[in-house]
């Protein structure tokens, strides 16, 4: 598949992912009327469902990564060409911003002014590390052992991480950035770097464990 | 499969789809007693579950479309004969009306007098466009890459769209029509055309993207 | 597989199905503390999940029917020997009673004194007819087209039917009987026959439709 | 696969399983603000989802048991070498303790001081026996008939058991032990042995039933 089509798929997929996650979060908070558990139940279910569906839809075109840490992990394991890393990350970030813009268009800006969920600190950074570590374990381990169900496994893990982690489980630098811009974001822009560093550390640890377990990736570079 | 049997499958499937969606919406509103998030959680889960099951049950007979925009998209991509488009749409609309009638029989007419959910406007039309665009992306993209799981992916997307879209995510002209007739519908009949136009535009955009990505459909016309 | 092992599988499976459904209903009502939508959401999800798991566990031994109307439908379509119909129904009813007894042992009898859910009448009988009609459509149609996912489809349909039907969606004479005995049942024993008749009519209609669509079952009698 | 890698997989998997289950329980109780049904709905869904994902991720390395009663059942059926039983159980217990420690690190110790759920007694021991009996039936029966879906079936059963059983459905001695240590555990350490005995009895009964149904396991010892 030509690189232009792969980048288009990453862009559309990341944009729809953020539109689904952001729109559902707004609708859930509005309808739940203060019931925080119901709001998170809906956000986590709908966001994870959207992720599974988008991997199934765009995965065979671009890999369906939608996430810079997975882009880097794939390149480290030799499954993505190094010269494609930067373009992938650029369109992932651009898609995330487009998705947030679609949410603004659907719901209006003022509705985005929701309370910030995350502010960092040791417990949250540990949570982000553990959550991303587990997500990359599932991405690599299930993607190797049971590739057919990997989209569902990654999605299901993300749903679980939204609940078990103390950090809101962003696990994705593009999403972290897009949701920390502007007044209504989920975290402050100044707090974003520490989250991204925790994500990179968790992803690196998981990638290292699986390289120890199985050696370098078996399959060829995606061309 | 003879065209009469295929039309029977589209009719029964669309009728059961509307009976499931409509009955669940009534039961959920009644039991949820004002908890709007719970009512939508149940309606979205049950309606999407019904869709998946009905595609699995009738898909190998008629395609399991149950939706005029998918009928048109399939015809554009050369996967449905043009002379079958009109009969398909007729039985889809008739089935939708039969499903609403079954709900009236089960619950009585007065219970149908629920508040109208949708009334249109720019944000809702954008929502309907984005929701239908994504649904047709999933229908074509997953149907091409992973046909075995496509019924689940379309269903899961519909559940997500019920939450993320600002428009109630009808995404289906037959459903839009059947639920805008009479006193207890989900939207006013006068608002229906703008929703249907947004649905057609979203479906056309997604179909065009996938024709660009992959060219014309690979498989033969369903006969 | 020897008939004794098949009957043992139907007995254990039906008993676990009723233990799961009954225990979850009690726990859900107790924890939900008056939130009727939450109680039904949990009962429907857990009961349907239990059904899927039990079909996957015992299906290759006995067919995983756990339900007299499916036993009769299978016999009509030539997939179950006629002389096995009566023993199957006997162990299905016995298993259902054993499952209710296990619930009594776990929770104590007084907790079973929950309000009766269903009392019959035209709308409920229509609901039971439609629900059972759809269930048998899914059982036959998906079982023929996509046998690998049929356990999930039947289970998902049952979850949906718990919500959309006006009748509580028993859809199973053994379950109807076991849950109408004693003080704490879901319906009165005197109301049970009309429910069972509606179930038989819905199952017969769906079986007839699929015999028209596909002719007699393709596969041999299970021996 | 070398035994060191298999033990590492059991350790990481059991630790993540307890981190997911414990973290989600804390988050759910905090957000649910007294809604006990919502808290259990979330804990059961997230814990079961985590289990499915971890079996898919680590199952092809170590079997993905994460549970001493499954370790013993597999050894009885000749599918695990007897000399591996003790090391497996040791790392399962160590992993469970590590998972609880991760939850403490993410959330702080005081948040762990949640009310004890279980205290034993005849109804709870029967519940633990029935729940473990069913879990091992699903593990063996579905693992034999439909191995590809067994991770989902076991996970779905665990979700159901959290609801239907009167005993909190621990079903796992390593989990029982790790969650009975310290101030904030789910049960008292003094109550743990009776739960473990009920688990062993349920597992033994189910293993015996399936040895009667099918004879010894067909496949070779995992080496």
């Amino acid at each position: 598949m030509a690189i232009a089509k792969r980048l288009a798929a990453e862009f559309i997929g990341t944009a729809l992912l953020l539109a689904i996650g952001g729109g559902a979060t707004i609708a859930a908070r509005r309808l739940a009327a203060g019931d925080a558990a119901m709001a998170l139940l809906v956000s986590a279910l709908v966001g994870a469902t959207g992720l599974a569906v988008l991997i199934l839809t765009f995965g065979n075109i671009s890999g369906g990564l939608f996430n810079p840490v997975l882009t880097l992990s794939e390149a480290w394991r030799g499954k993505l060409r190094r010269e494609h890393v930067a373009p992938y990350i650029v369109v992932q970030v651009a898609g995330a911003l487009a998705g947030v813009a679609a949410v603004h268009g659907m719901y209006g800006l003022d509705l985005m002014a929701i309370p910030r969920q995350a502010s960092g600190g040791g417990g949250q950074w540990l949570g982000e590390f553990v959550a991303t570590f587990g997500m990359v374990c599932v991405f690599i381990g299930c993607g190797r052992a049971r590739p057919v169900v990997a989209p569902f496994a990654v999605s299901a893990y993300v749903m679980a991480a939204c609940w078990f982690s103390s950090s809101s489980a962003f696990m994705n630098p593009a999403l972290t950035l897009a949701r920390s811009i502007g007044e209504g974001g989920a975290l402050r822009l100044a707090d974003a770097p520490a989250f991204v560093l925790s994500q990179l550390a968790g992803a690196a640890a998981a990638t290292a464990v699986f390289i120890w377990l199985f050696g370098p990736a078996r399959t060829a570079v995606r061309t």
Side-chain angles (χ1 to χ4, degrees), chain A residues 34 57 72 104 136 175 213 217:
Chain A
T57 299
L72 291 166
H104 282 234
V136 177
L175 184 150
L213 280 172

Side-chain angles (χ1 to χ4, degrees), chain A residues 33-45:
Chain A
D35 183 343
M38 175 61 87
L40 183 55
L41 180 66
V42 167
S43 308
L45 272 180

Side-chain angles (χ1 to χ4, degrees), chain A residues 20-110:
Chain A
I20 291 170
T25 299
I26 289 174
R29 282 167 190 261
R30 195 160 52 171
L31 292 188
D35 183 343
M38 175 61 87
L40 183 55
L41 180 66
V42 167
S43 308
L45 272 180
V46 174
T49 298
L51 176 59
V53 164
L54 293 167
I55 298 173
L56 292 169
T57 299
F58 296 107
N60 75 322
I61 302 173
S62 67
L65 304 177
F66 315 141
N67 185 341
V69 303
L70 294 180
T71 303
L72 291 166
S73 174
E74 289 286 272
W76 186 5
R77 294 170 61 238
K79 302 194 71 151
L80 187 74
R81 286 193 190 178
R82 273 155 206 271
E83 63 264 34
H84 288 168
V85 169
Y88 258 63
I89 292 178
V90 167
V91 297
Q92 285 161 355
V93 172
L97 295 171
V100 170
V103 174
H104 282 234
M106 284 196 291
Y107 285 100
L109 190 61
D110 57 322

Side-chain angles (χ1 to χ4, degrees), chain A residues 131 135 156-169 171:
Chain A
M135 191 265 285
Y157 177 84
V158 167
M159 188 280 285
C162 290
W163 277 102
F164 84 76
S165 172
S166 54
S167 67
S168 297
M171 304 183 289

